[in-house]
Amino acid sequence: MTLYIASSWRNTYYPEVVNHLRKAGFDVYDFRNPPSGDPGFKWHLVGEDWLQWSPAEYREKLHHPLAEHQFQNDIEALRRCDACVLVLPCGRSAHTEAGWFAGAGKPVVAYLPEKVEPELMYKLFTAVCCSLDEVVQTLTEKTSTTP
């Protein structure tokens, strides 16, 4: 099973999750180290003033070559991966990615390693897990029941 880990650059749990799932035998897409070999995407690479962009500037910057390149990395990974692990805390992009998986009928496991604000719509997901062992068990069960 190939996994897409949806999270934030600021999430301190992310490296542990990637390593744990790889050791458990899963193939993991790591957006911080994409297969293309580049260092992943950060908005400051498009413009140092990225936090001051107007809505129109933001819309324009979505078409910047660096943004286009990373979007292609990520969307190809979404299409290729069998399931998604949403690692909290995280932001809008990760939730959009998890929503894409849910809408595509692919399994989504939300991993909550710490206390977070409750979210009713997580009921769309396959499972909400509180430990990495529980994530592995859920994904393993999903693999063994998938034809």
Side-chain angles (χ1 to χ4, degrees), residues 1-146:
M1 176 180 275
T2 303
L3 303 177
Y4 189 99
I5 311 302
S7 194
S8 166
W9 278 93
R10 294 178 296 272
N11 187 303
T12 58
Y13 300 101
Y14 181 85
E16 175 189 6
V17 171
V18 169
N19 291 333
H20 191 91
L21 293 173
R22 283 183 173 154
K23 285 179 183 172
F26 296 101
D27 181 20
V28 177
Y29 173 73
D30 179 358
F31 72 85
R32 293 183 182 179
N33 301 289
S36 61
D38 54 62
F41 178 78
K42 295 184 181 174
W43 280 111
H44 75 83
L45 299 172
V46 173
E48 290 295 325
D49 62 340
W50 64 283
L51 287 172
Q52 284 75 47
W53 292 342
S54 68
E57 289 171 314
Y58 163 66
R59 180 179 60 199
E60 177 187 324
K61 301 296 185 183
L62 285 171
H63 301 288
H64 186 279
L66 292 174
E68 292 282 1
H69 177 71
Q70 188 59 42
F71 177 77
Q72 287 307 312
N73 280 343
D74 290 347
I75 198 69
E76 287 173 18
L78 270 96
R79 290 178 179 138
R80 182 176 46 81
C81 289
D82 303 304
C84 175
V85 177
L86 177 68
V87 182
L88 281 91
C90 58
R92 298 178 307 269
S93 286
H95 280 86
T96 301
E97 292 160 343
W100 184 93
F101 273 90
K106 295 182 178 190
V108 178
V109 174
Y111 171 48
L112 287 67
E114 63 182 50
K115 184 176 159 184
V116 295
E117 181 179 335
E119 175 53 59
L120 181 63
M121 297 313 290
Y122 284 5
K123 290 179 68 61
L124 289 171
F125 300 158
T126 306
V128 175
C129 299
C130 303
S131 73
L132 284 174
D133 289 339
E134 190 179 2
V135 171
V136 169
Q137 179 182 354
T138 299
L139 292 169
T140 301
E141 289 171 359
K142 192 67 181 166
T143 302
S144 65
T145 61
T146 303

